[in-house]
Amino acid sequence: MTVNIEALIYSLEKSYPELIDNGVITYKTEPKGYAGSPNLNLEMAKEGLFLSFRRDGKIFNEMTLYIQHDKVKNWIFPNKPPLPLQSKMSRKWVHETFGLPDKSIPPRMIGTTMFGWVERFSIDGFHIPVTMRVAYDSDELVKSITYMPTSELRWQYFNLTSS
């Protein structure tokens, strides 16, 4: 099933029932979460998406696109990314397209796992202020992209230092 990613971004801060009623997502599986967690999650693995909702009101507050997949070789993101995104993007391409990030953290090793750059961008043109977080692999290719309302942004969430 293909999902309209741009429609999902425009649906940030809407409720899960609104997304279903408007046909933005057709999953009938309710988002779930651990007891005591402030968020409910809906993993749409085949579509390469992870959606998060605030438990209070099931308000859509975050979406991650898995451009690369750790467990699936030769993964190709199965949906049409919103313009100007592409299915394969380098860090250089992201900077040429979106400019320099608002914040970033350099690559680092945590335990035995190497993490690439993580950068944060403010995105204009949506119904609300939106923040885009881009995570790269060690070859500086985009691994995942997360969209969230800027009002939901917390320093601890991104743990980013000045670029």
Side-chain angles (χ1 to χ4, degrees):
M1 160 184 23
T2 54
V3 177
N4 184 332
I5 304 301
E6 193 165 335
L8 273 171
I9 298 169
Y10 277 105
S11 297
L12 286 166
E13 294 195 333
K14 293 187 178 176
S15 70
Y16 176 76
E18 285 178 279
L19 271 67
I20 294 291
D21 292 346
N22 295 332
V24 178
I25 56 175
T26 58
Y27 265 48
K28 301 301 179 198
T29 305
E30 292 273 328
K32 303 207 181 313
Y34 294 107
S37 171
N39 294 317
L40 300 172
N41 303 315
L42 180 60
E43 181 81 38
M44 300 171 69
K46 290 181 183 175
E47 289 77 16
L49 299 172
F50 175 85
L51 309 180
S52 182
F53 299 81
R54 286 193 305 268
R55 185 178 291 273
D56 179 23
K58 290 187 187 171
I59 304 301
F60 181 38
N61 67 348
E62 183 180 316
M63 171 181 61
T64 299
L65 316 177
Y66 296 117
I67 304 300
Q68 293 184 38
H69 203 291
D70 291 335
K71 297 177 185 171
V72 180
K73 289 188 180 214
N74 301 319
W75 168 262
I76 297 172
F77 184 68
N79 297 290
K80 182 180 177 190
L83 291 174
L85 299 181
Q86 303 172 356
S87 57
K88 191 168 187 173
M89 300 166 281
S90 68
R91 184 166 177 250
K92 179 182 176 192
W93 181 92
V94 171
H95 289 181
E96 288 171 354
T97 305
F98 294 99
L100 294 176
D102 300 333
K103 304 274 184 186
S104 67
I105 55 173
R108 60 182 160 178
M109 182 76 86
I110 299 177
T112 59
T113 305
M114 181 64 182
F115 291 90
W117 284 92
V118 178
E119 299 177 326
R120 187 181 84 191
F121 299 85
S122 296
I123 304 299
D124 296 324
F126 289 99
H127 63 297
I128 57 171
V130 173
T131 296
M132 178 177 79
R133 173 191 176 267
V134 180
Y136 303 91
D137 64 13
S138 57
D139 294 326
E140 295 193 1
L141 295 174
V142 173
K143 187 172 181 174
S144 67
I145 300 172
T146 299
Y147 292 93
M148 67 187 317
T150 301
S151 63
E152 293 283 323
L153 184 63
R154 299 294 178 263
W155 182 258
Q156 301 88 329
Y157 179 81
F158 284 106
N159 190 24
L160 296 175
T161 58
S162 296
S163 49

